[in-house]
């Protein structure tokens, strides 16, 4: 058994990895990647903080990955297929793999919100972004027709 103390896992300030024009920039989110610190490979678990005014991701759903969220502090708006629901400490969200419910988190409050996020790590996963010309594939981000987006630093 590995005991991991909270302060032993460094805080990472997230930078959006989405290609332009869908990039969300930086400053929205920070996290402690707990499962990486423990060497786990079958699922990922992170303690995430979504900062005031931030959005966690583009609206998406996963083909082969379950996602689970447990709210610890603060208040978030969960957006699912255009419907907004406020969640608070003790609330949980489950998004089943293969279920096309597009979702993201928004922090409309003026305080940070922290939650535990857990997801399976299926190497076949494809993330769908309804309304955007984008898929997240094992090879990287592509247009809906399969044409890859340039990687960071590459030109078209």
């Amino acid at each position: 058994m590995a005991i991991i103390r909270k302060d032993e896992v460094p805080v990472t300030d997230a930078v959006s990895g989405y290609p332009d024009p869908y990039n969300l920039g930086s400053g929205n989110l920070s996290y402690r990647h707990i499962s990486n610190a423990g060497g786990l490979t079958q699922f990922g678990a992170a303690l995430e903080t979504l900062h005031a005014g931030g959005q966690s991701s583009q609206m998406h759903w996963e083909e082969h990955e379950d996602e689970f969220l447990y709210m610890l502090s603060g208040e978030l708006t969960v957006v699912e297929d255009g419907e907004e629901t406020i969640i608070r400490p003790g609330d949980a969200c489950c998004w089943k793999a293969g279920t096309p419910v597009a979702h993201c988190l928004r922090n409309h409050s003026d305080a940070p919100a922290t939650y535990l996020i857990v997801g399976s790590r299926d190497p076949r996963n494809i993330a769908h972004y309804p309304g955007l010309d984008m898929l997240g594939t094992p090879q990287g981000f592509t247009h809906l027709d399969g044409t890859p987006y340039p990687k960071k630093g590459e030109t078209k």
Side-chain angles (χ1 to χ4, degrees):
M1 173 171 67
I3 304 295
I4 301 168
R5 306 279 183 211
K6 179 181 92 166
D7 293 335
E8 293 173 348
V9 180
V11 173
T12 300
D13 292 321
V15 176
S16 173
Y18 294 125
D20 290 332
Y22 307 118
N23 193 291
L24 296 174
S26 61
N28 292 315
L29 182 75
S30 57
Y31 62 91
R32 294 178 191 264
H33 213 302
I34 302 164
S35 57
N36 282 3
L40 301 181
T41 59
Q42 295 181 17
F43 65 89
L47 189 62
E48 292 187 357
T49 299
L50 188 59
H51 304 293
Q55 180 170 315
S56 62
S57 64
Q58 294 290 359
M59 294 286 293
H60 70 286
W61 63 273
E62 313 274 353
E63 259 186 49
H64 298 285
E65 288 191 7
D66 286 340
E67 292 179 279
F68 170 81
L69 177 149
Y70 185 79
M71 194 68 180
L72 297 170
S73 67
E75 179 177 285
L76 288 175
T77 302
V78 178
V79 184
E80 292 180 308
D81 288 343
E83 185 176 326
E84 296 187 358
T85 304
I86 302 292
I87 61 171
R88 295 180 179 89
D91 293 338
C93 301
C94 296
W95 295 285
K96 183 176 172 23
T99 304
V101 175
H103 58 276
C104 76
L105 308 172
R106 293 187 181 137
N107 186 342
H108 290 115
S109 78
D110 56 4
T114 300
Y115 49 93
L116 177 68
I117 189 85
V118 179
S120 49
R121 291 181 169 174
D122 191 315
R124 304 167 298 151
N125 190 52
I126 295 174
H128 295 260
Y129 299 89
L132 304 182
D133 180 23
M134 183 170 69
L135 293 172
T137 72
Q139 295 76 35
F141 290 103
T142 70
H143 294 271
L144 294 177
D145 68 5
T147 306
Y149 277 96
K151 303 245 189 264
K152 295 281 181 197
E154 290 180 348
T155 57
K156 292 183 182 183

